[in-house]
Amino acid sequence: MSSTISAQYLLELKDIDLSFGKSQVLKKLSFQVKEGEICALIGPNGAGKSSVINIVNGIYQPQQGQIVFAGKNLKNDVAAQSAHLGIARTFQNLALFKHMTVLDNVLTGRILKSRHSLLGVLLQLPIQQKDADRQRRKVEEILKLLHLEQYRHSVVSSLSYGLQKRVELARALAAEPRLLLLDEPMAGMNQQEKQSIARFIQKVNQRLGISILMIEHDIGVVLQISDHVVVLDYGKKIADGTAQDIQAHPEVLGAYLGEELGSEPVTPQQLSEKEVHI
Ligand SMILES: Nc1ncnc2c1ncn2[C@@H]1O[C@H](COP(=O)(O)OP(=O)(O)OP(=O)(O)O)[C@@H](O)[C@H]1O
Ligand SMILES: [Mg+2]
């Protein structure tokens, strides 16, 4: 029997249970991401959002359940190979090489695509020149797409926080993923920076056809760019649907977002106008 399952979805989580000691972080969690969509995962602090990315990425091992990516079951040892299967990610807290240039940081994202060692690529040894040129061309394409060309030789630590987050996105793209996992790509940004990164995320999705699973607290931006929204609360899924469905979902509107805004009930209109951090 083949281990390949027909891929109706690009990513499918089925009945995932994840615990750390006695604390159960994800409870029978199931949801799917379709090829080509931007799916947002929202929920309050500690809801389990980053844990979802960590299990898809193979960093955490769920005790129960299945993760199916492009028809392949990722549970257990295969999960660690998610990068080879076409899954790339960014981190909630910046994880760049701060003292290296933008170019070198993005080059590190090419590791899996390079036929040679990272050191060889960085040192540009003659025997590896051809491969290095190929890597460099790809990186330049990505820098252009994300309007980072002018910063290519800047040391990362000299850049604004918003630009550093964009460099992290560039590095993840350098792996040429089929699915991009973004853990709070707009955290700590002002509205203008958020709008800018939101446009880049849409560009990556539309121009490169990369599917995106994104964690984001700013519900305004989520509703603006997502095709699909999954809402988590205490490790449980409480809503799953289009941005429009979610805006009208009674559990999200009343009990959940309503609590954040005070005792007043929240209307979908208010929700899309207000910047609500959950
Ligand atoms: N490696 C770990 N060891 C122990 N507990 C963990 C670990 N990772 C996550 N947790 C716990 O799991 C719960 C969910 O954490 P997670 O980081 O997934 O939440 P989150 O929804 O991403 O929150 P935030 O919005 O604050 O980033 C928290 O209670 C957290 O303390
Ligand atoms: Mg998190």
Side-chain angles (χ1 to χ4, degrees), residues 44-51 92 183-184 215 217:
N45 294 122
K49 305 178 299 296
S50 294
S51 298
Q92 185 163 350
D183 196 344
E184 302 201 22
I215 296 172
H217 281 282

Side-chain angles (χ1 to χ4, degrees), residues 43 50 78 91 102 117 125 152 167 183 202 216 235 257 262 273:
S50 294
V78 190
F91 291 84
V102 168
S117 70
L125 299 176
R152 64 164 73 74
V167 174
D183 196 344
Q202 282 183 304
E216 182 46 50
L257 292 174
E273 282 170 2

Side-chain angles (χ1 to χ4, degrees), residues 18-21 23-26 41-54 59-60 92 183-184 215-217 232 234-235 278:
L18 176 75
S19 300
F20 294 102
S23 141
Q24 193 169 1
V25 171
L26 298 175
L41 192 56
I42 66 171
N45 294 122
K49 305 178 299 296
S50 294
S51 298
V52 169
I53 282 195
N54 284 334
I59 293 176
Y60 292 171
Q92 185 163 350
D183 196 344
E184 302 201 22
I215 296 172
E216 182 46 50
H217 281 282
L232 282 190
Y234 292 109
I278 56 173

